[in-house]
Each structure stands twice: as C-alpha cells, then as structure tokens.
Amino acid sequence: MGDGWTMRKMWVGAGVAVALGMGFVMLLVVGVYLVAGNLAGGGAGGGAKKLAKGSVPAVYQPIVQKWGNLCPAINPALLAAQLYQESGFDPKARSAATAQGIAQFIPGTWAVHGVDGDGDGDRDVWDPEDAIPSAASYDCSLASYVKSVPGNPTENMLASYNAGPDAVIRYQGVPPYEETRNYVKTITTLEKSFAAPTTRVDPSEQAAGAIAYAQKKLGTLYLWGGNGTPEQGGRFDCSGLTKAAYESVGIKLPRVANDQYNAGPHPGRDELLPGDLVFFSDDLTNSRAIRHVGIYVGGGYMIDAPRTGAVIRFDPIDTPDYFGATRVTEDGAKALPTTV
C-alpha cells in the first residue's frame, strides 16, 4: 500500500514525461519480448546457498543462514521458504490447529523435535532462536529417515514433512497425494524467491502485457486501498495497480507489496528488465517492511501510483529507499500463501 510514500524529487518535467509516453513504452513492450526470445535458452542456476538481500528479516537472517546448512537436504533459502509459508516470519503466529510460533510446531511434534538452539537451557517454541534451529533439525531428521528412498532427497524430505516419512517410504518417493505434491512444488518454488540468484534470471513472458496495462492507467488519480473497481472510479494504490497489471495477463498476485516481493526471483539493479516489480522501503534489511511498489519500464523509470493527491505516472527508481526487484513468475505467484 502506498499512502506513506514520500514524494520524490522529479528530475524530468512534463515535457519529458510525455516523451516517455506511448511510443517509448510500446518500444519497451516489444523489446521485452525480444529479450525473452533471445535469452530463452539460458535458465537460472540452482543450488543457491545464500539468501537474497533482505528477503528474511535481519533479526532472523543469521540464524536461517547458519541452520539452513545443517544437512545436504536443506539450504537457507529453502528453510526461509518454509518459515514464510508457515507464519510469514511471525514469532507469535498461532493457528486454529494449535500450531505455534514462527515455525508452526504443534505441541506433540515440538515435544519430540524441539531443540535448545540458543543454548540458554530451555526449548521455547515461541523463541525464534529455538524454533528456527528446531525446524532445520526436524527437516534433517526427516531427510535422514527417508535417505534410502530413491529420487530427490529434498523433495522426499518435504513430502515427509507433509505426509509423513512412512508414506514416502511406502511409495518410494513423493506420494501421489495432491496436497503433498502441491506442498513440495510450493516450497521449492518459494525457495527461488528467497535465494540470491547465482546466474541470470530468465525474463518473464507476461511482462509486456503488464506494462501495457499500467501504461493505460497513466494520469489516474491515486486512491489508498484502490483496486481499480468501478465503485472506486477505476483508481488504484501502488500494490493495487501492480496486482491488476499482472492479473490482466493471468497472474494473480497478493494484495500487498511486501508479499508481492516473493512472487519470483530477484534480479540485480543492473539486470532489470521491463515488467520487473521494483520495491521501496525505509528498512533495507527486511522485505516485510516494504511499503511501495512499481512496474519497471526501462531507463531507470517505473510506472507507479505514488501517494494520495498524485496520479499514476513515471517515477525514477534510483532513490535511497530502493529495496530491490522481483521478476514475477506464474509459479512464483501461485506458490505464495493466501494469508501470512
């Protein structure tokens, strides 16, 4: 949501804004398709062991980085994906099924698998310094239990987490349960959002359509909480605009900016392509603190809905509060939890 968005100093006047209009954006729209075609044979690398910048709240990042390397079946990005899926990194989370804390342990599982991660003499499910190491330890215990099962050890571990190790052993791999297979795909997809990319991030095929949608909304007055509905006069706030833009090409994003950040991998500033979502925050160490989002169009500019009293427009992205970017993918968006 963008109401707290601080007005940026504009380095271009109205005349330049017009020059950045229809013709400029349409060239970018065509260009992003050409880039997608030229780079289609690449592919992002796997096996990342480092977390993407700010993807995990700074207070938890050292713990996740350390304990995410506890055994070969897990890595820090995978562990972060599980914590995000379970609680959105909320150490006070409590579910209707009595799951507790940042890792959402149920009491019976905690009693067996909880560890004293910080060495203070107790095992506290509400303390992330115990719960995060316990989550990693539990993952590794499951991986060890099914280590003789053929197939991918990480997928077998995740299937054991969801369906129990006995089912994985019985089926000699990921069981044919829709829920379990969806869980495995969800976590391995979210892992890409929490991992620092090791190679080029593939372009998005839907990016051009998202830009075209946002470009048609230029000049529309901002509305906090706006989703562009007729009742709202077709007005948007920042994340309402990005959500609608990607929904126009068949990708459903979460409503708020900090969850949209997890809809795909994170290209560096020098790797941005038109259609990438760009994010801004007053806390550059924590993606959960993101407060603004726009759609990158190239040349250091984005289309965004800045703040109350302003209109959807072009703004520069290279400001002190620039947090990072996300290359939205269909699978990445589908993997995001509906509530965190």
Side-chain angles (χ1 to χ4, degrees):
M1 312 283 278
D3 197 32
W5 181 239
T6 303
M7 178 74 166
R8 292 188 175 84
K9 182 175 181 181
M10 289 294 292
W11 295 103
V12 292
V16 177
V18 171
L20 284 169
M22 175 74 77
F24 177 70
V25 173
M26 290 314 295
L27 284 173
L28 291 168
V29 168
V30 173
V32 78
Y33 278 128
L34 292 175
V35 170
N38 291 336
L39 298 181
K49 294 296 183 182
K50 291 186 178 180
L51 297 168
K53 186 197 86 166
S55 59
V56 173
V59 66
Y60 306 135
Q61 183 155 339
I63 310 172
V64 174
Q65 187 68 47
K66 173 185 175 181
W67 289 89
N69 288 304
L70 185 62
C71 68
I74 65 173
N75 65 66
L78 188 87
L79 179 58
Q82 288 182 291
L83 296 171
Y84 173 71
Q85 170 74 15
E86 294 294 337
S87 71
F89 301 108
D90 180 3
K92 299 179 181 178
R94 185 192 299 266
S95 80
T98 72
Q100 300 173 334
I102 196 170
Q104 289 291 277
F105 276 98
I106 60 173
T109 304
W110 179 259
V112 176
H113 295 282
V115 302
D116 178 13
D118 57 5
D120 66 355
D122 70 354
R123 299 181 304 139
D124 183 358
V125 73
W126 301 106
D127 182 354
E129 293 192 14
D130 288 340
I132 294 173
S134 296
S137 177
Y138 184 43
D139 281 345
C140 292
S141 294
L142 291 171
S144 178
Y145 196 80
V146 297
K147 65 182 179 181
S148 62
V149 176
N152 183 294
T154 297
E155 293 182 358
N156 288 339
M157 178 275 291
L158 291 171
S160 298
Y161 186 96
N162 179 265
D166 291 341
V168 174
I169 293 171
R170 183 166 68 254
Y171 286 101
Q172 287 294 283
V174 178
Y177 309 148
E178 183 177 4
E179 177 188 330
T180 302
R181 291 188 170 179
N182 285 342
Y183 179 78
V184 172
K185 183 176 181 180
T186 291
I187 299 301
T188 53
T189 299
L190 280 175
E191 175 189 358
K192 298 172 185 175
S193 174
F194 287 94
T198 56
T199 62
R200 177 191 50 77
V201 179
D202 283 338
S204 165
E205 294 181 4
Q206 292 94 340
I211 293 173
Y213 180 94
Q215 184 259 339
K216 292 176 184 177
K217 305 302 177 182
L218 287 167
T220 303
L221 192 64
Y222 176 98
L223 176 67
W224 188 87
N227 293 305
T229 63
E231 297 79 11
Q232 296 171 326
R235 296 158 65 189
F236 298 90
D237 65 10
C238 66
S239 55
L241 175 64
T242 52
K243 181 178 187 296
Y246 267 96
E247 201 162 276
S248 75
V249 291
I251 295 179
K252 188 172 183 180
L253 291 173
R255 180 60 183 85
V256 295
N258 60 11
D259 285 324
Q260 292 180 4
Y261 182 74
N262 294 310
H266 308 297
R269 171 64 184 87
D270 60 346
E271 300 171 322
L272 290 183
L273 290 175
D276 290 345
L277 296 186
V278 284
F279 297 87
F280 303 83
S281 178
D282 294 323
D283 180 354
L284 301 183
T285 68
N286 181 7
S287 67
R288 305 307 293 158
I290 285 170
R291 55 164 172 73
H292 189 64
V293 60
I295 300 178
Y296 188 64
V297 296
Y301 282 84
M302 64 180 169
I303 296 175
D304 69 324
R307 58 179 176 81
T308 299
V311 298
I312 295 173
R313 66 192 190 191
F314 293 101
D315 269 324
I317 71 165
D318 290 316
T319 56
D321 54 350
Y322 176 75
F323 182 89
T326 295
R327 189 152 299 155
V328 175
T329 68
E330 190 168 358
D331 282 346
K334 287 180 179 176
L336 296 175
T338 54
T339 57
V340 289

